[in-house]
Amino acid sequence: MKYFDIGQRIRRYRKACGLSQEALAQKVGISVTHMSHIETGNTKLSLPVLAKIAEELSVGTDALLSDAPKPDKAKLSAEVQDILDSFEIDELPVAVEVLRALRDSLAKRRA
């Protein structure tokens, strides 16, 4: 098991949630030093700590333990197009507006 990889996934999810190491450590009930060591792979984490981290980050433990397969962008694009095709013509501007708002919100979370 590659603890560094697990730590980096935790770090990515933590940042996506807008949490500092200090904030997540406090929520999980561990020291900031321990959280830092988990993220750098310098320590092994227990199952209870892994479960608490996953809960606080609103992800499954499986997402922290292994990389999920990369989504097929062409397949997803086709699915989005199918959904857009199902709208009435007067509904399309609203659907596009919702997609733009979602894109902008996700971009802010990544930043």
Side-chain angles (χ1 to χ4, degrees):
M1 184 166 294
K2 296 182 181 178
Y3 289 97
F4 176 79
D5 293 343
I6 294 169
Q8 291 305 292
R9 286 186 206 98
I10 291 170
R11 181 176 183 268
R12 278 195 312 268
Y13 280 107
R14 173 181 60 77
K15 286 189 168 207
C17 291
L19 294 172
S20 65
Q21 279 186 343
E22 294 82 7
L24 182 57
Q26 182 179 18
K27 289 174 178 275
V28 173
I30 61 175
S31 71
V32 177
T33 302
H34 191 188
M35 179 59 66
S36 175
H37 288 179
I38 289 170
E39 289 189 5
T40 58
N42 291 327
T43 191
K44 296 177 181 178
L45 68 161
S46 67
L47 288 176
V49 170
L50 176 69
K52 287 180 187 176
I53 290 172
E55 180 181 338
E56 291 300 331
L57 298 176
S58 300
V59 298
T61 54
D62 55 330
L64 300 178
L65 293 173
S66 65
D67 281 326
K70 302 288 185 211
D72 181 343
K73 189 169 184 175
K75 184 177 177 182
L76 289 173
S77 292
E79 185 175 354
V80 169
Q81 186 61 55
D82 288 345
I83 293 168
L84 289 173
D85 290 344
S86 71
F87 286 106
E88 298 293 328
I89 192 73
D90 60 326
E91 297 170 331
L92 278 172
V94 174
V96 171
E97 185 177 331
V98 169
L99 285 172
R100 283 189 184 125
L102 176 60
R103 178 199 59 203
D104 294 345
S105 177
L106 291 173
K108 286 179 185 174
R109 285 186 66 176
R110 285 191 299 263

